[in-house]
Coordinates of all heavy atoms in Angstrom, one line a residue:
S16 N -100.1 272.0 272.5 CA -101.5 271.9 272.5 C -102.1 272.4 273.8 O -101.5 272.4 274.9 CB -101.8 270.4 272.4 OG -101.2 269.7 273.5
I17 N -103.4 272.7 273.7 CA -104.2 273.1 274.9 C -105.5 272.3 274.8 O -106.2 272.4 273.8 CB -104.5 274.6 274.8 CG1 -103.2 275.4 274.7 CG2 -105.4 275.1 275.9 CD1 -103.4 276.9 274.2
N18 N -105.8 271.5 275.8 CA -107.1 270.7 275.8 C -107.9 271.0 277.1 O -107.3 271.4 278.1 CB -106.8 269.2 275.8 CG -106.2 268.8 274.5 OD1 -106.3 269.3 273.5 ND2 -105.4 267.7 274.6
M19 N -109.2 270.8 277.0 CA -109.9 270.6 278.3 C -110.0 269.1 278.5 O -110.4 268.4 277.6 CB -111.3 271.3 278.2 CG -111.9 271.6 279.5 SD -110.9 272.5 280.7 CE -110.9 274.2 280.0
D20 N -109.6 268.7 279.7 CA -109.6 267.3 280.0 C -111.0 267.0 280.7 O -111.4 267.6 281.7 CB -108.5 266.9 281.0 CG -107.1 266.9 280.3 OD1 -107.1 267.0 279.0 OD2 -106.1 266.7 281.0
A43 N -110.8 269.7 283.8 CA -109.5 270.4 284.2 C -108.7 270.7 283.0 O -108.8 270.0 282.0 CB -108.7 269.5 285.2
L44 N -107.9 271.8 283.1 CA -107.1 272.1 281.9 C -106.0 271.1 281.7 O -105.5 270.5 282.6 CB -106.4 273.5 282.2 CG -105.6 274.0 281.0 CD1 -106.4 274.2 279.7 CD2 -104.9 275.3 281.4
G45 N -105.9 270.7 280.4 CA -104.8 269.7 280.1 C -104.3 270.0 278.7 O -104.3 271.2 278.3
G46 N -103.8 269.0 278.0 CA -103.1 269.2 276.8 C -101.6 269.2 277.1 O -101.2 269.8 278.1
K47 N -100.9 268.4 276.4 CA -99.4 268.3 276.7 C -98.7 269.6 276.7 O -97.9 269.9 277.6 CB -98.8 267.3 275.8 CG -99.3 265.9 276.0 CD -98.6 264.8 275.1 CE -99.4 263.6 275.0 NZ -99.8 263.0 276.3
G48 N -99.1 270.5 275.8 CA -98.4 271.8 275.8 C -98.8 272.6 277.0 O -97.9 273.1 277.7
N50 N -100.0 271.6 279.8 CA -99.5 271.0 281.0 C -98.0 271.3 281.3 O -97.6 271.7 282.4 CB -99.6 269.5 281.0 CG -101.1 269.0 281.1 OD1 -101.9 269.7 281.5 ND2 -101.3 267.8 280.6
Q51 N -97.2 271.3 280.2 CA -95.8 271.5 280.3 C -95.5 273.0 280.6 O -94.6 273.3 281.4 CB -95.0 271.0 279.1 CG -95.1 269.5 279.0 CD -94.4 268.9 277.8 OE1 -93.5 269.4 277.2 NE2 -94.9 267.7 277.4
I101 N -110.2 268.8 273.2 CA -110.6 268.1 274.4 C -109.9 266.7 274.5 O -109.5 266.2 273.5 CB -112.2 267.9 274.5 CG1 -112.7 267.0 273.4 CG2 -112.9 269.2 274.5 CD1 -113.0 265.6 273.9
A102 N -109.8 266.3 275.8 CA -109.3 264.9 276.0 C -110.3 264.2 276.9 O -110.7 264.7 278.0 CB -108.0 265.0 276.6
I104 N -110.8 261.4 279.3 CA -109.9 260.6 280.1 C -110.6 259.7 281.1 O -111.5 260.2 281.8 CB -108.9 261.5 280.9 CG1 -108.1 262.4 279.9 CG2 -107.9 260.7 281.7 CD1 -107.1 263.4 280.6
I113 N -106.8 257.6 277.4 CA -107.0 259.0 276.9 C -107.4 259.1 275.4 O -106.7 258.5 274.6 CB -105.8 259.9 277.2 CG1 -105.4 259.8 278.7 CG2 -106.0 261.3 276.7 CD1 -104.2 260.7 279.0
V115 N -107.9 262.0 272.6 CA -107.8 263.4 272.3 C -108.5 263.8 271.0 O -108.3 263.1 270.0 CB -106.3 263.8 272.2 CG1 -106.2 265.3 271.8 CG2 -105.6 263.6 273.6
E146 N -98.9 267.2 269.6 CA -100.3 267.3 269.5 C -100.7 268.5 268.7 O -101.9 269.0 268.8 CB -100.9 267.4 270.9 CG -100.9 266.1 271.7 CD -101.6 266.1 273.1 OE1 -101.6 267.2 273.7 OE2 -102.1 265.1 273.5
N169 N -90.6 266.4 273.2 CA -91.3 265.3 273.9 C -92.1 264.7 272.8 O -93.2 265.2 272.4 CB -92.1 265.9 275.0 CG -93.0 264.8 275.7 OD1 -94.2 265.1 276.0 ND2 -92.5 263.6 275.8
T249 N -101.8 259.3 287.1 CA -100.5 259.6 286.4 C -100.6 260.5 285.2 O -99.6 260.8 284.5 CB -99.8 258.3 286.0 OG1 -100.7 257.6 285.1 CG2 -99.5 257.4 287.2
T250 N -101.9 260.9 284.9 CA -102.1 261.8 283.8 C -101.2 263.1 284.0 O -101.3 263.7 285.0 CB -103.5 262.3 283.7 OG1 -104.4 261.1 283.7 CG2 -103.8 263.0 282.4
G251 N -100.4 263.4 283.0 CA -99.5 264.6 283.1 C -98.2 264.4 283.8 O -97.4 265.3 283.9
A252 N -97.9 263.2 284.2 CA -96.7 262.9 284.9 C -95.5 263.2 283.9 O -94.5 263.8 284.3 CB -96.6 261.5 285.4
G253 N -95.7 262.7 282.7 CA -94.6 262.9 281.7 C -94.5 264.4 281.4 O -93.3 264.8 281.2
D254 N -95.6 265.1 281.4 CA -95.5 266.5 281.1 C -94.7 267.3 282.2 O -93.9 268.2 281.9 CB -96.9 267.1 281.0 CG -97.7 266.5 279.8 OD1 -97.0 266.1 278.8 OD2 -98.9 266.4 279.9
A288 N -104.2 266.5 285.6 CA -102.8 266.6 285.2 C -102.1 267.8 286.0 O -100.9 267.7 286.3 CB -102.7 266.9 283.7
Q289 N -102.8 268.9 286.2 CA -102.1 270.1 286.7 C -102.3 270.3 288.2 O -101.6 271.1 288.8 CB -102.6 271.3 285.9 CG -102.3 271.2 284.5 CD -102.7 272.4 283.6 OE1 -103.1 273.4 284.2 NE2 -102.7 272.2 282.3
Ligands
RIB430 O1 -100.1 264.2 278.8 C1 -101.4 264.3 279.4 C2 -102.3 265.0 278.5 O2 -102.5 264.3 277.3 C3 -103.7 265.3 279.0 O3 -103.8 266.4 279.7 C4 -104.6 265.3 277.7 O4 -105.1 266.5 277.4 C5 -103.7 264.8 276.6 O5 -103.3 265.8 275.8

Side-chain angles (χ1 to χ4, degrees):
S16 60
I17 302 162
N18 294 331
M19 198 52 74
D20 288 353
L44 183 60
K47 294 182 196 305
N50 289 342
Q51 294 180 24
I101 63 104
I104 302 182
I113 304 182
V115 173
E146 288 183 332
N169 172 219
T249 59
T250 311
D254 297 329
Q289 298 178 12

